[in-house]
Amino acid sequence: MNTADQYLKAIYLAQMIDEGPASTGQLAEMLDVSPASVNEMVGKLEDRGLADHEKYKGARLTDEGIGRARDAIQTYCIIERFLANVLEVKNYREEARALESVIDDTVAERLDTIIDRRPECPDCFDPEADQCDCLVVEMEGKAD
């Protein structure tokens, strides 16, 4: 997943939470970047036909952008599940967020063969909790 995919994921989740366009400020907060960085990337996404941006209203994903965002969420879920249930990483969510931008599709597909991902993924992702509702952490003594 690349940086553009992280933005697509954030716009998608923001749209789900607010049932409307994703504001620059909201995206900046979600991604921990400056509003200027958000504006720059949203412009690039718009140029690629992945998002539409209306000044002072926010960004909405196109159908193609929604597809890419759903793929990005699924990749994140694969990483999270692999870290939690295969490697038993205690801070799996924090690690998954750090890794999502560097894991490519090939690696995600290979990790997917190891984990027990639910067929409803990525629809099981709760945007307000920023996590998969179906993830059951199997490690012993895990405190989270």
Side-chain angles (χ1 to χ4, degrees), residues 70-88:
R70 289 177 57 79
D71 288 346
I73 291 168
Q74 186 169 306
T75 297
Y76 174 80
C77 290
I78 290 167
I79 296 166
E80 187 179 65
R81 193 171 294 268
F82 178 77
L83 291 170
N85 293 334
V86 177
L87 298 182
E88 297 184 351

PDB file of all heavy atoms in Angstrom, residues 70-88:
ATOM      1  N   ARG A  70     -11.151   0.286  -0.461  1.00  0.00           N
ATOM      2  CA  ARG A  70     -11.562  -0.999   0.124  1.00  0.00           C
ATOM      3  C   ARG A  70     -10.409  -2.005   0.070  1.00  0.00           C
ATOM      4  O   ARG A  70     -10.202  -2.763   1.012  1.00  0.00           O
ATOM      5  CB  ARG A  70     -12.807  -1.525  -0.568  1.00  0.00           C
ATOM      6  CG  ARG A  70     -14.054  -0.695  -0.225  1.00  0.00           C
ATOM      7  CD  ARG A  70     -15.291  -1.157  -0.971  1.00  0.00           C
ATOM      8  NE  ARG A  70     -15.608  -2.552  -0.759  1.00  0.00           N
ATOM      9  CZ  ARG A  70     -16.216  -3.044   0.317  1.00  0.00           C
ATOM     10  NH1 ARG A  70     -16.588  -2.241   1.289  1.00  0.00           N
ATOM     11  NH2 ARG A  70     -16.459  -4.342   0.425  1.00  0.00           N
ATOM     12  N   ASP A  71      -9.639  -1.991  -1.011  1.00  0.00           N
ATOM     13  CA  ASP A  71      -8.456  -2.855  -1.094  1.00  0.00           C
ATOM     14  C   ASP A  71      -7.438  -2.470  -0.020  1.00  0.00           C
ATOM     15  O   ASP A  71      -6.810  -3.334   0.588  1.00  0.00           O
ATOM     16  CB  ASP A  71      -7.805  -2.753  -2.475  1.00  0.00           C
ATOM     17  CG  ASP A  71      -8.615  -3.424  -3.573  1.00  0.00           C
ATOM     18  OD1 ASP A  71      -9.551  -4.199  -3.265  1.00  0.00           O
ATOM     19  OD2 ASP A  71      -8.323  -3.155  -4.760  1.00  0.00           O
ATOM     20  N   ALA A  72      -7.270  -1.167   0.213  1.00  0.00           N
ATOM     21  CA  ALA A  72      -6.326  -0.688   1.230  1.00  0.00           C
ATOM     22  C   ALA A  72      -6.767  -1.123   2.627  1.00  0.00           C
ATOM     23  O   ALA A  72      -5.936  -1.522   3.453  1.00  0.00           O
ATOM     24  CB  ALA A  72      -6.193   0.828   1.161  1.00  0.00           C
ATOM     25  N   ILE A  73      -8.059  -1.055   2.901  1.00  0.00           N
ATOM     26  CA  ILE A  73      -8.575  -1.491   4.205  1.00  0.00           C
ATOM     27  C   ILE A  73      -8.349  -2.987   4.363  1.00  0.00           C
ATOM     28  O   ILE A  73      -7.928  -3.453   5.426  1.00  0.00           O
ATOM     29  CB  ILE A  73     -10.062  -1.131   4.352  1.00  0.00           C
ATOM     30  CG1 ILE A  73     -10.222   0.382   4.460  1.00  0.00           C
ATOM     31  CG2 ILE A  73     -10.670  -1.821   5.579  1.00  0.00           C
ATOM     32  CD1 ILE A  73     -11.645   0.872   4.329  1.00  0.00           C
ATOM     33  N   GLN A  74      -8.595  -3.733   3.314  1.00  0.00           N
ATOM     34  CA  GLN A  74      -8.389  -5.177   3.381  1.00  0.00           C
ATOM     35  C   GLN A  74      -6.920  -5.498   3.646  1.00  0.00           C
ATOM     36  O   GLN A  74      -6.605  -6.358   4.464  1.00  0.00           O
ATOM     37  CB  GLN A  74      -8.854  -5.835   2.087  1.00  0.00           C
ATOM     38  CG  GLN A  74      -8.809  -7.342   2.136  1.00  0.00           C
ATOM     39  CD  GLN A  74      -9.521  -7.948   0.967  1.00  0.00           C
ATOM     40  OE1 GLN A  74     -10.670  -7.651   0.711  1.00  0.00           O
ATOM     41  NE2 GLN A  74      -8.841  -8.806   0.239  1.00  0.00           N
ATOM     42  N   THR A  75      -6.014  -4.791   2.979  1.00  0.00           N
ATOM     43  CA  THR A  75      -4.586  -4.995   3.220  1.00  0.00           C
ATOM     44  C   THR A  75      -4.237  -4.684   4.670  1.00  0.00           C
ATOM     45  O   THR A  75      -3.513  -5.439   5.319  1.00  0.00           O
ATOM     46  CB  THR A  75      -3.740  -4.122   2.268  1.00  0.00           C
ATOM     47  OG1 THR A  75      -3.996  -4.539   0.927  1.00  0.00           O
ATOM     48  CG2 THR A  75      -2.251  -4.235   2.564  1.00  0.00           C
ATOM     49  N   TYR A  76      -4.780  -3.584   5.200  1.00  0.00           N
ATOM     50  CA  TYR A  76      -4.532  -3.247   6.595  1.00  0.00           C
ATOM     51  C   TYR A  76      -5.025  -4.368   7.511  1.00  0.00           C
ATOM     52  O   TYR A  76      -4.338  -4.762   8.454  1.00  0.00           O
ATOM     53  CB  TYR A  76      -5.214  -1.922   6.961  1.00  0.00           C
ATOM     54  CG  TYR A  76      -5.105  -1.629   8.436  1.00  0.00           C
ATOM     55  CD1 TYR A  76      -3.947  -1.093   8.965  1.00  0.00           C
ATOM     56  CD2 TYR A  76      -6.144  -1.950   9.299  1.00  0.00           C
ATOM     57  CE1 TYR A  76      -3.821  -0.869  10.327  1.00  0.00           C
ATOM     58  CE2 TYR A  76      -6.028  -1.729  10.655  1.00  0.00           C
ATOM     59  CZ  TYR A  76      -4.874  -1.194  11.161  1.00  0.00           C
ATOM     60  OH  TYR A  76      -4.750  -0.995  12.516  1.00  0.00           O
ATOM     61  N   CYS A  77      -6.215  -4.882   7.235  1.00  0.00           N
ATOM     62  CA  CYS A  77      -6.773  -5.957   8.062  1.00  0.00           C
ATOM     63  C   CYS A  77      -5.910  -7.213   8.012  1.00  0.00           C
ATOM     64  O   CYS A  77      -5.726  -7.889   9.027  1.00  0.00           O
ATOM     65  CB  CYS A  77      -8.199  -6.282   7.625  1.00  0.00           C
ATOM     66  SG  CYS A  77      -9.404  -4.996   8.010  1.00  0.00           S
ATOM     67  N   ILE A  78      -5.374  -7.525   6.835  1.00  0.00           N
ATOM     68  CA  ILE A  78      -4.479  -8.682   6.695  1.00  0.00           C
ATOM     69  C   ILE A  78      -3.247  -8.498   7.565  1.00  0.00           C
ATOM     70  O   ILE A  78      -2.845  -9.400   8.304  1.00  0.00           O
ATOM     71  CB  ILE A  78      -4.089  -8.885   5.214  1.00  0.00           C
ATOM     72  CG1 ILE A  78      -5.291  -9.369   4.411  1.00  0.00           C
ATOM     73  CG2 ILE A  78      -2.899  -9.837   5.082  1.00  0.00           C
ATOM     74  CD1 ILE A  78      -5.097  -9.308   2.905  1.00  0.00           C
ATOM     75  N   ILE A  79      -2.644  -7.315   7.496  1.00  0.00           N
ATOM     76  CA  ILE A  79      -1.447  -7.032   8.292  1.00  0.00           C
ATOM     77  C   ILE A  79      -1.766  -7.117   9.777  1.00  0.00           C
ATOM     78  O   ILE A  79      -1.032  -7.750  10.550  1.00  0.00           O
ATOM     79  CB  ILE A  79      -0.876  -5.638   7.946  1.00  0.00           C
ATOM     80  CG1 ILE A  79      -0.414  -5.597   6.491  1.00  0.00           C
ATOM     81  CG2 ILE A  79       0.271  -5.268   8.889  1.00  0.00           C
ATOM     82  CD1 ILE A  79      -0.164  -4.190   5.960  1.00  0.00           C
ATOM     83  N   GLU A  80      -2.865  -6.492  10.176  1.00  0.00           N
ATOM     84  CA  GLU A  80      -3.258  -6.488  11.589  1.00  0.00           C
ATOM     85  C   GLU A  80      -3.478  -7.920  12.092  1.00  0.00           C
ATOM     86  O   GLU A  80      -2.974  -8.294  13.154  1.00  0.00           O
ATOM     87  CB  GLU A  80      -4.537  -5.657  11.724  1.00  0.00           C
ATOM     88  CG  GLU A  80      -4.966  -5.426  13.144  1.00  0.00           C
ATOM     89  CD  GLU A  80      -6.219  -4.577  13.217  1.00  0.00           C
ATOM     90  OE1 GLU A  80      -7.283  -5.033  12.745  1.00  0.00           O
ATOM     91  OE2 GLU A  80      -6.119  -3.468  13.742  1.00  0.00           O
ATOM     92  N   ARG A  81      -4.202  -8.711  11.345  1.00  0.00           N
ATOM     93  CA  ARG A  81      -4.497 -10.090  11.750  1.00  0.00           C
ATOM     94  C   ARG A  81      -3.209 -10.926  11.800  1.00  0.00           C
ATOM     95  O   ARG A  81      -3.016 -11.727  12.716  1.00  0.00           O
ATOM     96  CB  ARG A  81      -5.514 -10.698  10.791  1.00  0.00           C
ATOM     97  CG  ARG A  81      -6.120 -11.985  11.274  1.00  0.00           C
ATOM     98  CD  ARG A  81      -7.269 -12.401  10.374  1.00  0.00           C
ATOM     99  NE  ARG A  81      -8.381 -11.479  10.449  1.00  0.00           N
ATOM    100  CZ  ARG A  81      -9.412 -11.605  11.287  1.00  0.00           C
ATOM    101  NH1 ARG A  81      -9.447 -12.608  12.124  1.00  0.00           N
ATOM    102  NH2 ARG A  81     -10.387 -10.731  11.283  1.00  0.00           N
ATOM    103  N   PHE A  82      -2.326 -10.730  10.829  1.00  0.00           N
ATOM    104  CA  PHE A  82      -1.063 -11.466  10.812  1.00  0.00           C
ATOM    105  C   PHE A  82      -0.229 -11.118  12.043  1.00  0.00           C
ATOM    106  O   PHE A  82       0.289 -12.003  12.724  1.00  0.00           O
ATOM    107  CB  PHE A  82      -0.280 -11.152   9.534  1.00  0.00           C
ATOM    108  CG  PHE A  82       1.052 -11.832   9.458  1.00  0.00           C
ATOM    109  CD1 PHE A  82       1.145 -13.169   9.135  1.00  0.00           C
ATOM    110  CD2 PHE A  82       2.225 -11.126   9.720  1.00  0.00           C
ATOM    111  CE1 PHE A  82       2.376 -13.811   9.070  1.00  0.00           C
ATOM    112  CE2 PHE A  82       3.454 -11.753   9.655  1.00  0.00           C
ATOM    113  CZ  PHE A  82       3.534 -13.099   9.333  1.00  0.00           C
ATOM    114  N   LEU A  83      -0.109  -9.827  12.338  1.00  0.00           N
ATOM    115  CA  LEU A  83       0.685  -9.406  13.498  1.00  0.00           C
ATOM    116  C   LEU A  83       0.089  -9.905  14.812  1.00  0.00           C
ATOM    117  O   LEU A  83       0.813 -10.357  15.705  1.00  0.00           O
ATOM    118  CB  LEU A  83       0.796  -7.879  13.533  1.00  0.00           C
ATOM    119  CG  LEU A  83       1.646  -7.244  12.438  1.00  0.00           C
ATOM    120  CD1 LEU A  83       1.473  -5.737  12.454  1.00  0.00           C
ATOM    121  CD2 LEU A  83       3.110  -7.625  12.594  1.00  0.00           C
ATOM    122  N   ALA A  84      -1.230  -9.834  14.933  1.00  0.00           N
ATOM    123  CA  ALA A  84      -1.893 -10.220  16.187  1.00  0.00           C
ATOM    124  C   ALA A  84      -1.901 -11.725  16.395  1.00  0.00           C
ATOM    125  O   ALA A  84      -1.564 -12.206  17.480  1.00  0.00           O
ATOM    126  CB  ALA A  84      -3.320  -9.684  16.218  1.00  0.00           C
ATOM    127  N   ASN A  85      -2.286 -12.482  15.367  1.00  0.00           N
ATOM    128  CA  ASN A  85      -2.554 -13.906  15.576  1.00  0.00           C
ATOM    129  C   ASN A  85      -1.453 -14.847  15.128  1.00  0.00           C
ATOM    130  O   ASN A  85      -1.400 -15.970  15.608  1.00  0.00           O
ATOM    131  CB  ASN A  85      -3.866 -14.288  14.883  1.00  0.00           C
ATOM    132  CG  ASN A  85      -5.053 -13.619  15.550  1.00  0.00           C
ATOM    133  OD1 ASN A  85      -5.018 -13.291  16.731  1.00  0.00           O
ATOM    134  ND2 ASN A  85      -6.096 -13.397  14.793  1.00  0.00           N
ATOM    135  N   VAL A  86      -0.584 -14.410  14.236  1.00  0.00           N
ATOM    136  CA  VAL A  86       0.514 -15.274  13.816  1.00  0.00           C
ATOM    137  C   VAL A  86       1.784 -14.919  14.576  1.00  0.00           C
ATOM    138  O   VAL A  86       2.417 -15.780  15.179  1.00  0.00           O
ATOM    139  CB  VAL A  86       0.742 -15.192  12.285  1.00  0.00           C
ATOM    140  CG1 VAL A  86       1.941 -16.032  11.867  1.00  0.00           C
ATOM    141  CG2 VAL A  86      -0.516 -15.646  11.536  1.00  0.00           C
ATOM    142  N   LEU A  87       2.130 -13.627  14.574  1.00  0.00           N
ATOM    143  CA  LEU A  87       3.352 -13.211  15.258  1.00  0.00           C
ATOM    144  C   LEU A  87       3.129 -12.869  16.734  1.00  0.00           C
ATOM    145  O   LEU A  87       4.097 -12.710  17.475  1.00  0.00           O
ATOM    146  CB  LEU A  87       3.976 -12.009  14.543  1.00  0.00           C
ATOM    147  CG  LEU A  87       4.430 -12.240  13.104  1.00  0.00           C
ATOM    148  CD1 LEU A  87       5.066 -10.984  12.546  1.00  0.00           C
ATOM    149  CD2 LEU A  87       5.367 -13.428  12.997  1.00  0.00           C
ATOM    150  N   GLU A  88       1.863 -12.725  17.132  1.00  0.00           N
ATOM    151  CA  GLU A  88       1.493 -12.374  18.504  1.00  0.00           C
ATOM    152  C   GLU A  88       2.187 -11.101  18.986  1.00  0.00           C
ATOM    153  O   GLU A  88       2.694 -11.017  20.104  1.00  0.00           O
ATOM    154  CB  GLU A  88       1.759 -13.545  19.460  1.00  0.00           C
ATOM    155  CG  GLU A  88       0.920 -14.756  19.141  1.00  0.00           C
ATOM    156  CD  GLU A  88       1.085 -15.892  20.114  1.00  0.00           C
ATOM    157  OE1 GLU A  88       1.996 -15.844  20.979  1.00  0.00           O
ATOM    158  OE2 GLU A  88       0.305 -16.850  20.021  1.00  0.00           O
TER     159      GLU A  88
END
